Amino acid sequence: MAKLSKRQKFLQEQAAKLGVLDLPKAVAALKKFETSLPAGIKPSKLDQTIEVSIRLGVDPKHADQIVRGSIVYPHGIGKSKRVVVFCQGPNVQVALSAGAEHAGGKELADKIKEGWMDFDVAIATPDMMGVVGPLGRVLGPRGLMPSPRAGTVTMDVANAVREYRAGKVEFRCDDAGIVHTIVGKMSFSEEQLTDNANALLKMIQTLKPTASKGQYVRSVTISGTQTPGVRILA
């Protein structure tokens, strides 16, 4: 096991003292980590990504207990996503006007087959899935394959492009039943991070599978890229 730095050790000690907090207090505590460091320990210069981890009472081995969805946060996520759209006809100009980096059909698919991957989200109209399907082996492992459930296979090209450029986030529970999802950046205000995290928690509640038994939300933790987690009242 790698030896902890003085900074990591101090922050873990601080986190251990906090216990379980309500959401606003947990966010406040998280943001104070970097300003509470003692003399001689330098704070991180990185505008850290803030993530919420939610452990759910589900068994992802069963398809009807997989929790997944997408969300547009009240305050975005601090960066604009690069979007490409598989479409044809008038939708090409619609997609480009809405802010897509690239839009097209076979020529766009061929470009990706050749190794071009300079985008964060791929959207497709239903009539283009014949072109997109063969890209599954390339896009699938990267989480970029258009999907109706995620809202990335749609005829409403303009709205989909605008939402994803604004930072729409897709999430899915992992094999352990845990959802790990970005909710903003450390530079966000406490109110912005609280609003975003609260929006996510509310959405997760609406996605409870009917097959899930017992306590649904088991634990919630919020953390930064370079901080320990702070536990939140579930």
Side-chain angles (χ1 to χ4, degrees):
M1 183 180 292
K3 185 178 179 180
L4 294 178
S5 67
K6 289 182 179 179
R7 177 181 174 280
Q8 291 172 322
K9 186 175 181 181
F10 176 81
L11 291 181
Q12 287 195 2
E13 290 172 350
Q14 296 305 301
K17 296 175 183 177
L18 294 173
V20 185
L21 307 174
D22 64 28
L23 178 57
K25 289 180 180 177
V27 169
L30 179 71
K31 285 184 64 68
K32 286 178 182 175
F33 276 153
E34 296 297 342
T35 59
S36 67
L37 294 170
I41 301 180
K42 295 181 179 180
S44 171
K45 294 182 179 180
L46 179 71
D47 186 10
Q48 300 177 51
T49 295
I50 307 302
E51 181 180 273
V52 167
S53 298
I54 308 165
R55 185 166 65 91
L56 302 173
V58 298
D59 185 354
K61 293 178 182 177
H62 299 283
D64 60 351
Q65 292 192 50
I66 294 175
V67 175
R68 66 185 298 174
S70 59
I71 184 170
V72 179
Y73 290 119
H75 306 289
I77 57 171
K79 67 175 183 180
S80 177
K81 290 187 176 182
R82 299 166 299 172
V83 181
V84 298
V85 182
F86 292 93
C87 58
Q88 59 187 346
N91 277 324
V92 172
Q93 189 54 52
V94 170
L96 294 173
S97 296
E101 300 286 328
H102 296 277
K106 184 177 181 300
E107 71 282 4
L108 179 56
D110 289 342
K111 190 174 182 180
I112 291 172
K113 287 177 184 176
E114 291 169 1
W116 179 79
M117 295 294 293
D118 293 339
F119 56 94
D120 305 302
V121 180
I123 293 168
T125 53
D127 58 327
M128 295 302 293
M129 291 310 292
V131 172
V132 178
L135 297 175
R137 278 182 278 182
V138 177
L139 300 181
R142 294 174 171 81
L144 295 172
M145 189 66 180
S147 160
R149 292 188 66 176
T152 46
V153 175
T154 176
M155 285 303 297
D156 191 354
V157 170
N159 187 55
V161 170
R162 284 193 289 266
E163 284 189 341
Y164 276 97
R165 274 184 52 80
K168 187 175 184 178
V169 174
E170 295 178 29
F171 57 85
R172 173 180 172 143
C173 64
D174 62 18
D175 291 342
I178 302 173
V179 172
H180 303 277
T181 310
I182 180 176
V183 293
K185 306 290 282 187
M186 189 67 83
S187 57
F188 281 24
S189 69
E190 291 180 20
E191 183 179 11
Q192 288 174 321
L193 287 172
T194 299
D195 286 349
N196 281 0
N198 194 44
L200 173 65
L201 292 172
K202 286 183 176 179
M203 172 165 280
I204 291 292
Q205 288 288 357
T206 69
L207 298 174
K208 180 181 179 181
T210 54
S212 173
K213 305 299 181 184
Q215 185 179 356
Y216 175 50
V217 177
R218 302 286 178 85
S219 67
V220 182
T221 304
I222 188 168
S223 61
T225 309
Q226 298 181 351
T227 76
V230 179
R231 293 180 62 196
I232 298 171
L233 286 169

